[in-house]
């Protein structure tokens, strides 16, 4: 193959998530216009629904992106999010409806959730436990603690003006996008981001280059836990109730978003913008299928196929690279 | 006699029950190529890891330019001008040439008051370093991950990384092992050029041909101890092999000829 053709293929394999997202939007738009004579995209309610559906998994996925780039995985983020959802409710309740209470309950919730993140980091970076196993253990621990903290009812209702503001309308979406841009900046522009890639590419060379790999990995798992905490806080503020299993369905969505966004589970590649596109693809599929009245179970099938497809494209990309 | 740029005195280290190095001493002068020879497991790699700050000796002393020094980590060694090129090159395969040259020491500039990596500068230095080594890499590959490059090009990046940081002492672990013949020659030329510039080179090699072609002096390790030290001008391959494998083996082969 000549170079220009290789370049073109490499470009397509790089931008396919964008193309796929556009194709999905066009598909649902055409369907909606033909069958119902209404618009899919040019509808504030739809856009907000997609944005809200995407934001919680996206928050988990932002932290997960950092973890996966270092060739790790964090299976505990779903239940850490649940733990956070319960904690923010429990911590806010004593303050009644006063909005300022969230200024205390939010940091307290994040601090609580940093504990499982720290334990994950120490297990993986210091004690050499494989990420899959260490975070699977923490998955169980966070789950148990979350349900215990929720008490008998599994969900904890909370009515607070501060939380209500945080969960109202577009606020969760805007908050997620701001955090996304900050983390994109850190990953793509700073030494911290550079070392994240270096560790994923070759941990040995990172050590020899004088990078404090152990400390870096602990920080990475702290970031993942902090984002899970924010996900839980957003959940509880949207629904005025915290549930210990709030993040359960979002764990796999978060990993899927990262993988669809172009990261390899072997580490060293991926980026936050790709993860954003991945999360949007999942949210558009899920919302779009409901919108056009397809049985909800089809969501699982379609998202599953997209995940497999993205891994195949990733492998093809590797081969393409090897051939150059 | 002038002061050695680097000296190791009575270095010992244990890993569990294994005494990997026992009272090993060596020194290297500026502009000298010292070959470190020895069989597998003789302790060569352990010794260079101590000199480059990766391991910490249980006993013994390291001196730089006659002054005792403590190396807490590889960063410390590199701050002193001791650069190491490992056999596996220690490149981050997923990063580009510039990122590898600067790995762990990225140049930064300020953006929104935050330190961000200066990628322009990294790319520019990458081009300059490769030019200095007379290595041609197409521009489009310069920005891609180094796993796309050939073994010789990757070796050149590792060497370029060391010389860019103005190494006083360059430690090379089997630098020619994975290379084709023309690339091997290129690396030898490069070592000669570094020597002429006054850089001290510690060369670890199995290849006696390379050692005799480029080294001034040879230190032979056997089972964690110094088995002998010879000037290249006053020894030959047979003697070095005998030092490497030990007398028992030489005896079993019959009397030396």
């Amino acid at each position: 193959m000549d170079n220009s053709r290789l370049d073109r293929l490499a470009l397509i394999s790089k931008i396919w998530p964008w193309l796929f997202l556009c194709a999905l939007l066009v598909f649902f738009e055409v369907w909606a216009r033909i069958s119902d004579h209404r618009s899919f995209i040019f509808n504030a309610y739809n856009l907000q629904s997609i944005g809200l559906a995407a934001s919680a998994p996206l928050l988990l996925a932002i932290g997960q992106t950092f973890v996966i780039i270092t060739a790790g995985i964090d299976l505990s983020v779903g239940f850490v999010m649940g733990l956070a959802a319960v904690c923010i409710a429990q911590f806010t309740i004593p303050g009644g409806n006063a909005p300022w209470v969230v200024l205390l309950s939010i940091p307290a919730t994040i601090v609580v959730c940093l504990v499982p993140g720290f334990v994950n980091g120490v297990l993986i970076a210091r004690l050499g436990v494989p990420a899959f196993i260490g975070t699977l253990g923490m998955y169980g621990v966070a789950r148990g603690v979350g349900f215990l903290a929720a008490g008998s009812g599994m969900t904890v209702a909370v009515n607070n003006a501060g939380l209500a503001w945080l969960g109202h309308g577009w606020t969760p979406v805007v908050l997620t996008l701001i955090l996304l841009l900050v983390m994109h900046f850190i990953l793509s522009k700073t030494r911290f981001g550079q070392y994240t890639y270096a560790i994923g590419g070759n941990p040995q060379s990172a050590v020899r280059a004088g990078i404090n790999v152990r400390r870096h990995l602990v920080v990475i798992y702290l970031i993942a836990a902090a984002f899970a905490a924010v996900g839980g806080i957003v959940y509880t503020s949207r629904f005025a109730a915290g549930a210990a299993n709030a993040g359960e369905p979002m764990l796999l969505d978060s990993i899927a978003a990262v993988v669809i966004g172009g990261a390899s589970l072997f580490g060293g590649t991926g980026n936050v913008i790709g993860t954003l596109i991945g999360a949007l693809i999942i949210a558009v599929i899920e919302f779009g299928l409901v919108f056009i009245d397809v049985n909800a179970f089809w969501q699982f099938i379609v998202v599953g196929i997209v995940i497999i497809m993205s891994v195949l494209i990733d492998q093809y990309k590797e081969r393409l690279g090897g051939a150059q | 006699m002038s002061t050695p740029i680097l000296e190791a005195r009575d270095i010992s280290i244990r890993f569990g029950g294994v005494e990997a190095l026992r009272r090993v001493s060596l020194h290297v002068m500026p502009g000298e190529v010292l070959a470190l020879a020895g069989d597998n497991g003789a302790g060569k790699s352990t010794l260079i890891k101590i000199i480059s700050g990766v391991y910490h000796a249980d006993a013994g002393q390291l001196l730089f330019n006659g002054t005792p020094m403590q190396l807490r980590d590889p960063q410390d060694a590199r701050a002193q001008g001791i650069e190491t090129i490992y056999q596996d090159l220690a490149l981050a395969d997923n990063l580009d040439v510039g990122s590898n040259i600067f790995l762990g020491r990225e140049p930064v500039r300020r953006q929104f008051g935050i330190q961000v990596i200066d990628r322009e500068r990294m790319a520019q230095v990458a081009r300059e370093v490769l030019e200095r080594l007379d290595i041609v890499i197409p521009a489009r590959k310069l920005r891609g991950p180094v796993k796309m490059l050939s073994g010789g090009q990757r070796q050149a990046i590792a060497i370029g990384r060391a010389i860019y940081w103005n190494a006083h002492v360059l430690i090379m672990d089997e630098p020619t092992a994975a290379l084709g013949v023309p690339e091997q020659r290129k690396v030898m030329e490069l070592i000669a050029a570094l020597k002429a510039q006054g850089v001290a080179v510690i060369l670890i090699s199995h290849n006696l041909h390379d050692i005799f072609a480029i080294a001034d002096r040879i230190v032979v390790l056997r089972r964690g101890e110094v088995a002998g030290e010879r000037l290249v001008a006053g020894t030959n391959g047979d003697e070095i092999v005998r030092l490497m494998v030990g007398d028992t083996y030489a005896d079993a082969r019959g009397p030396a000829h």
Side-chain angles (χ1 to χ4, degrees):
Chain A
M1 276 191 277
D2 59 295
N3 275 343
S4 66
R5 180 143 176 249
L6 269 176
D7 280 348
R8 213 158 48 234
L9 282 173
L11 183 70
I12 289 171
S13 68
K14 210 179 237 171
I15 62 168
W16 84 266
W18 295 85
L19 298 176
F20 187 72
L21 180 61
C22 291
L24 278 175
L25 291 172
V26 169
F27 170 80
F28 286 122
E29 180 67 19
V30 170
W31 187 297
R33 285 199 183 270
I34 290 174
S35 69
D36 303 322
H37 305 289
R38 54 183 178 160
S39 174
F40 178 71
I41 308 170
F42 304 101
N43 177 329
Y45 172 78
N46 287 3
L47 289 182
Q48 195 183 47
S49 301
I50 292 170
L52 287 173
S55 40
L58 181 55
L59 283 167
L60 298 194
I62 292 168
Q64 195 76 265
T65 304
F66 281 71
V67 173
I68 286 179
I69 289 173
T70 65
I73 190 137
D74 191 341
L75 299 179
S76 69
V77 288
F79 281 112
V80 171
M81 172 178 160
L83 177 63
V86 172
C87 282
I88 185 74
Q90 298 286 34
F91 293 163
T92 308
I93 286 169
N97 195 31
W100 58 265
V101 179
V102 296
L103 295 179
L104 300 177
S105 59
I106 287 175
T109 301
I110 292 174
V111 168
V112 168
C113 291
L114 287 179
V115 175
F118 183 73
V119 175
N120 279 336
V122 170
L123 283 175
I124 292 156
R126 291 255 164 210
L127 304 176
V129 177
F132 190 93
I133 302 300
T135 60
L136 185 62
M138 198 49 65
Y139 167 104
V141 173
R143 180 186 205 172
V145 174
F147 279 108
L148 287 174
S152 53
M154 265 180 50
T155 56
V156 184
V158 55
N159 275 306
N160 177 281
L163 277 186
W165 176 83
L166 195 62
H168 177 74
W170 284 94
T171 316
V173 179
V174 173
L175 174 73
T176 305
L177 284 178
I178 290 170
L179 289 174
L180 181 119
L181 288 176
V182 169
M183 296 317 278
H184 173 66
F185 181 86
I186 289 174
L187 187 59
S188 61
K189 298 260 186 182
T190 67
R191 282 188 174 166
F192 185 89
Q194 183 82 350
Y195 296 166
T196 304
Y197 285 106
I199 290 169
N202 185 344
Q204 269 296 321
S205 75
V207 170
R208 287 169 184 168
I211 297 168
N212 191 336
V213 173
R214 287 175 170 179
R215 194 180 66 199
H216 194 98
L217 283 176
V218 172
V219 175
I220 293 277
Y221 284 92
L222 284 172
I223 290 174
F227 272 87
V230 176
I233 293 165
V234 166
Y235 177 95
T236 300
S237 47
R238 267 184 69 198
F239 300 111
N245 60 353
E248 192 173 5
M250 288 163 198
L251 165 65
L252 291 181
D253 276 357
S254 80
I255 296 171
V258 178
V259 171
I260 294 170
S264 157
L265 287 176
F266 297 109
T269 59
N271 63 77
V272 173
I273 301 299
T275 297
L276 165 68
I277 302 302
L280 284 177
I281 285 175
I282 294 171
V284 167
I285 290 173
E286 289 180 354
F287 183 80
L289 289 178
V290 173
F291 185 75
I292 65 173
D293 253 344
V294 173
N295 187 323
F297 292 118
W298 278 98
Q299 294 170 17
F300 302 127
I301 298 171
V302 177
V303 171
I305 290 171
V306 173
I307 293 168
I308 293 170
M309 220 166 66
S310 59
V311 172
L312 288 176
I313 288 177
D314 182 56
Q315 284 180 352
Y316 176 70
K317 212 162 31 177
E318 283 289 310
R319 271 211 303 281
L320 209 65
Q324 267 181 339
Chain B
M1 204 175 107
S2 58
T3 323
I5 183 80
L6 182 78
E7 187 176 359
R9 275 188 200 156
D10 295 328
I11 298 287
S12 300
I13 189 171
R14 305 181 69 92
F15 295 110
V18 184
E19 195 162 31
L21 291 176
R22 197 156 48 241
R23 299 180 71 80
V24 169
S25 298
L26 61 73
H27 69 274
V28 59
M29 311 297 292
E32 185 186 35
V33 178
L34 173 71
L36 197 55
D39 204 357
N40 291 335
K44 306 184 300 272
S45 298
T46 308
L47 182 58
I48 62 158
K49 279 183 176 157
I50 289 171
I51 296 174
S52 57
V54 178
Y55 293 159
H56 306 281
D58 296 329
Q61 205 175 22
L62 292 174
L63 293 95
F64 188 80
N65 233 340
T67 321
M69 62 171 175
Q70 294 288 331
L71 300 179
R72 276 164 305 167
D73 52 41
Q75 210 96 321
D76 265 1
R78 300 199 308 184
Q80 297 268 19
I82 303 170
E83 294 280 341
T84 310
I85 300 175
Y86 291 93
Q87 198 170 350
D88 61 10
L89 302 181
L91 298 177
D93 280 333
N94 57 331
L95 300 180
D96 62 19
V97 178
S99 299
N100 270 288
I101 288 175
F102 283 96
L103 190 59
R105 304 179 269 207
E106 291 76 5
V108 289
R109 59 191 172 80
R110 292 206 160 262
Q111 196 175 344
F112 314 125
I114 301 164
Q115 289 195 333
V116 300
I117 292 178
D118 192 344
R119 293 193 193 277
E120 278 309 309
R121 186 165 145 61
M122 287 181 6
Q124 193 199 329
V125 167
R127 277 194 299 275
E128 285 170 11
V129 165
L130 292 174
E131 231 164 69
R132 211 151 96 201
L133 298 182
D134 206 10
I135 301 284
V136 181
I137 297 178
R140 52 192 285 276
K141 285 198 175 181
L142 214 53
R143 290 254 183 189
V146 298
K147 70 177 161 211
M148 308 288 187
L149 303 175
S150 75
Q153 289 170 330
R154 290 158 48 84
Q155 181 82 43
I157 294 165
I159 294 174
R161 169 162 68 186
I163 61 164
Y164 175 73
W165 295 98
N166 291 321
H168 297 296
V169 179
L170 182 60
I171 303 166
M172 303 175 88
D173 189 359
E174 298 281 2
T176 59
L179 300 183
V181 174
E183 287 175 330
Q184 283 183 17
R185 197 161 299 159
K186 185 113 207 164
V187 170
M188 289 318 223
E189 281 171 23
L190 209 58
I191 294 175
L194 294 172
K195 175 181 155 69
Q197 290 167 27
V199 177
V201 178
I202 300 177
L203 174 72
I204 290 148
S205 183
H206 274 94
N207 187 335
L208 287 182
H209 181 77
D210 281 359
I211 290 177
F212 277 88
I214 198 84
D216 299 302
R217 204 152 47 84
I218 308 173
V219 168
V220 181
L221 289 183
R222 173 156 37 99
R223 290 185 194 159
E225 287 180 293
V226 174
E229 182 179 338
R230 299 287 184 274
L231 287 173
V232 164
T235 186
N236 57 47
D238 280 347
E239 188 183 20
I240 297 301
V241 170
R242 216 154 41 234
L243 287 170
M244 279 165 65
V245 300
D247 290 334
T248 20
Y249 182 60
D251 291 346
R253 285 172 70 204
H257 37 269

